[in-house]
Structures are given as structure tokens and as C-alpha cells.
Amino acid sequence: MRRVVVTGLGLVTPLGGDVETTWKNILASKSGAGPITHFDASDQKCRIACEVKPTDHEYGFDPSKRVDHKVQRQVDPFIIYGIDAAGQAIEDAGLTDMDETTRLRAGVSIGSGIGGLPGIESESLVLHEKGPGRVSPHFVHGRLINLISGQVSIKYGLMGPNHAVVTACSTGAHSIGDAARMIRDDDADIMLAGGAEATICPIGIAGFAQARALSTAFNDQPEKASRPYDKDRDGFVMGEGSGVVVLEEYEHAKRRGAKIYAEVVGYGLSGDAYHVTAPHPEGSGGYRSMEMALKKSGLQPSDIDYINAHGTSTPLGDELELGAVRRLFGNAIGTVSMSSTKSAIGHLLGGAGAVESIFCILALRDQIVPPTLNLDNPSEGTAGVDLVPHKAKERSVRAVLNNSFGFGGTNASLIMKAV
Amino acid sequence: MSETADRVKKIVVEHLGVEADKVTEDASFIDDLGADSLDIVELVMAFEEEFGVEIPDDAAEKISTVKDAIDYIEQNKG
């Protein structure tokens, strides 16, 4: 069977415009949260978010590095983040000069949970105030979810599968899992896979706040708001950004002497079949997706050293996920470390699964697991589990598991290990 | 150079992300400045907004150079 490995990484996050800056800040227990600056949020219930920082910030993002000026003007930020992260991953993998034969077998699967919400919002106002003749001719293709994949394919000449997953907050994990299958099934030798999101706009914040999903109790202390597994958690903090990996068929990567970060060995998917926003009360969907990934990987729970949890900091979700992990892991729960990096960068929605899979890969590379910030008073039911409170922890990391669960009751789990 | 020409060129530079010295009056939006048909739609909208003129579709289709745009605006602005 064709094996699939990761040979390149790219990140745009609230803690950095690239992989190493983000990772350094994550390990230093920094928080990307702050008051919302993208718009005037003074009338919102939630007035905080983890925004990608401007170019002149210490760990800001420079959109002009990899995204053409004209494209920047025409598309929503989620597409800009996605193009940049994809470019980083291509550069990291040493694939900037692919010949045509290689590009015919190289594809893109970078999705998003929601797509261009800020642009849909602002252009609706243009329509309302100035009429249809003032709506941008770039409105549609500047907001569509599959337009990261489209833009990346055009920019780099990638002619293989061109795809985009839309599964809410599971998008990033599903993208990587599905793209790995495309390589395994011989549809491609190389796939750029990941997710992106940028919905920190009035209607995005209002919509999630009305769904009672966002934290609203920490508007004056943004850095304290995302606190997975803590007793005082009251909802997630919205993040934005993108994560993209280069997936490559193992022999292909070996032949060209590529640096290999990890092998994708397990992928599981399931549906809760329960409720549009609430997780199944027994966490059964998450359990089955992890179980499937584990079975595919051929590993035992005791082989998994780190879990990057979905752990959004919502009152319901965190403990249900932990309960499912506990049931699946049995005695191995005592040796695994499990943390939620959403405590630092917020919830990147459709980007989350990809960004967090990259953190898993970096944990494998550096033999260190990132912390869960703000875990001051762990909830009942968390006893006996290493949730890596406050500080990163050096430890042996042989295999990693990433969970992502989304609205609609969609679940994805990925398992990766060192080659 | 007329004030209209200055303002037209500024819009072109901003929308197409090209160097200002490339935006000569003879420059063709598509052949010299890298625009596609949708970019021209967007430019025409921006001209309409900036100068308060109406540029109907049949007139917009005839605008292919920077000079075409300047001339149309000079002749039709209020």
C-alpha cells in the first residue's frame, strides 16, 4: 500500500505569520487573544478574539510576501491566509521548482468552515446601500471556499486533484485525511492539504455569540478567556488563520531526498447523528472517529503519547471529549499527554484541524508537548489525565492524535507518527 | 497632465498593483497592465464612483487604454 508522509508545513496564526514563530510562542505559553480590532465590537456580547496580527507587530503576518497585490484586493482574508500557508509549505518541502510531470500529479485540498463571511457581509451592505451595479465583479470567486485551492493551483501550476472540504470545525482534519487517501489511492503523489478561516467580522461574532458558543465573561481579560477543561470556561474564543501541509507519497519523498516530518497512519471519521450544535451526550461520535483512526494505524492506545484535543473551552464539549478519550485509552490514559492549543490561539474553525495537526507534527519533531493555558482549576472528571497545564513539557513523543469536531455533528481524527 | 488623468492613473495603480510609471496614456489595460475582463469591470465601477459618471456597458467595452478612460470621463462628467 502507498504510504503518505508530511514533507512541508505552513502556518498563519494569531501567534505568528510562519511555523517557527508560532511554535516558539506556543511553547512560551503566549496567548494570541486580545480586544477585537478588525471592527468596532463595542456593541457585541463578545468583544475579544485571537486575530492574526498586522505586519508591523512582533509576530505579525505580511500578506504581501506571497500574495499578489491584485489578489489581496479581490479576495477575503481566509484565502490570503490559505495562499500564504500553502506557499510556506511548498517552500519548506523544497518544491518551489516542480517540473510539469510532478505538477500533473500534485493537487490541492484546502478547505474552510464558512468561507468569505466578511466579504459577504460588506458586499451585502454595498448592495443594500448602492444597488446591484456596485457589487464587485470579484465578489463570488473572492469568497468561495474552494478558491484557496483554486488560487494555489493557479499560482503554482498544480494540475492534480483540486478539492475543498467544508465540514465546519473538522474541515482541516478532514482535508488532511481525505488528501492522504487521494495519495494512497494513486490519484496524486503530492497534495497540499489544510484549512483556513477568517470570520472575525460583525456578523461572524454576533452569529456565534447568539448560538451561545463564544466566551463572553472575559471581555476585560482576553488572555484568560480560552480555558479548556477549566471550571470557569464559558465558550470559545474565535481565532483566524491557516494551516497547510505538504503530503507526499513516501517513495516519492524518499527519492528526492525530502525532509520527512511524519507519516499519516490513521484517519477516522464519524457523524454524531444527534444535534446541530451540541455534541452527543456520551461523546460517541468522537469515540468512534478516534477508534477508527486507531484501528487504521495499527497502533495501540499506549503507543500514542500526545493528543491535541478539540477542546474548544465550551462548557459541554471538553469533558465529553475527555470522557471518550478515557474510554478508548483505558489504562493508557495514565501515560498520554493531552492539551488544547486553542487556549493560546483560539478556535480557528475550519483551520483548526490543520493548524493543530501541525502542532502535533512539531511535538513529534521536537519531543515536547504544547501547554493548555489558563487551566487554573481543572473540572471534575479531569483527574488522572495530563492536560499539560500552563507550561510546555518535554517528553518522549512517538505518535500523536488530533481530534476535530464540528457543527452538524461531524468528527475527524488523525494519527501521525515518526517514520 | 490633467487632473482627471491623475485621478484615473491613481485608481489604476491601486486596483492593478502596477508601478505608476507603467500607467502611460497609451497603456492597454489587458496587454500592458495585466488586467483581465473582470478587472476592467471593477475599474469602470471605480471610475464611476470617483467621477460621478455613468459608464454604460457598451461604452465600457470600448475602453481599452488609459487614454480611452480619461477621454470618456472628460467628455461625460457633470
Side-chain angles (χ1 to χ4, degrees), chain A residues 35-254:
Chain A
I36 289 173
T37 65
H38 290 354
F39 65 96
D40 176 6
S42 54
D43 59 351
Q44 298 265 355
K45 280 183 204 160
C46 170
R47 298 188 289 279
I48 57 171
C50 291
E51 296 178 336
V52 167
K53 307 297 181 284
T55 312
D56 59 0
H57 189 279
E58 181 193 346
Y59 38 88
F61 164 66
D62 179 5
S64 299
K65 234 175 176 172
R66 295 183 184 83
V67 187
D68 186 64
H69 170 90
K70 211 168 83 178
V71 173
Q72 283 185 51
R73 288 194 67 261
Q74 296 171 354
V75 306
D76 250 59
F78 84 102
I79 297 180
I80 296 174
Y81 299 156
I83 297 172
D84 187 274
Q88 291 177 39
I90 287 174
E91 292 160 24
D92 185 37
L95 288 170
T96 40
D97 295 314
M98 284 180 264
D99 60 20
E100 188 177 350
T101 314
T102 308
R103 288 186 286 110
L104 279 163
R105 298 270 302 163
V108 194
S109 176
I110 305 172
S112 177
I114 302 178
L117 198 56
I120 292 172
E121 177 174 48
S122 60
E123 216 65 11
S124 299
L125 294 173
V126 170
L127 173 70
H128 179 71
E129 286 160 14
K130 299 181 176 173
R134 285 289 176 275
V135 171
S136 165
H138 301 290
F139 170 64
V140 175
H141 53 267
R143 321 272 99 71
L144 286 180
I145 283 180
N146 71 303
L147 258 289
I148 302 173
S149 293
Q151 291 275 5
V152 169
S153 150
I154 294 162
K155 184 171 160 78
Y156 294 98
L158 310 180
M159 294 174 275
N162 201 263
H163 195 55
V165 171
V166 183
T167 51
C169 308
S170 304
T171 299
H174 275 136
S175 296
I176 294 174
D178 290 353
R181 286 183 171 180
M182 290 177 202
I183 292 175
R184 202 190 59 194
D185 288 355
D186 210 8
D187 300 328
D189 295 323
I190 293 169
M191 286 294 297
L192 282 145
E197 204 80 78
T199 51
I200 303 174
C201 62
I203 200 148
I205 294 290
F208 276 101
Q210 292 296 81
R212 305 294 185 266
L214 292 179
S215 169
T216 54
F218 293 88
N219 282 321
D220 299 328
Q221 296 172 281
E223 296 187 355
K224 298 282 175 202
S226 188
R227 41 195 318 117
Y229 310 106
D230 187 84
K231 279 179 181 159
D232 295 327
R233 69 185 189 272
D234 75 322
F236 77 79
V237 177
M238 195 183 288
E240 61 174 347
S242 178
V244 175
V245 298
V246 172
L247 298 177
E248 192 167 349
E249 194 271 323
Y250 177 55
E251 297 297 334
H252 190 277
K254 245 184 14 183

Side-chain angles (χ1 to χ4, degrees), chain A residues 379-409:
Chain A
S379 284
E380 285 156 30
T382 61
V385 186
D386 175 26
L387 295 170
V388 201
H390 304 299
K391 283 194 181 326
K393 182 171 152 179
E394 289 182 31
R395 61 158 295 164
S396 152
V397 184
R398 297 161 300 156
V400 292
L401 165 69
N402 175 240
N403 278 336
S404 290
F405 310 142
F407 278 2

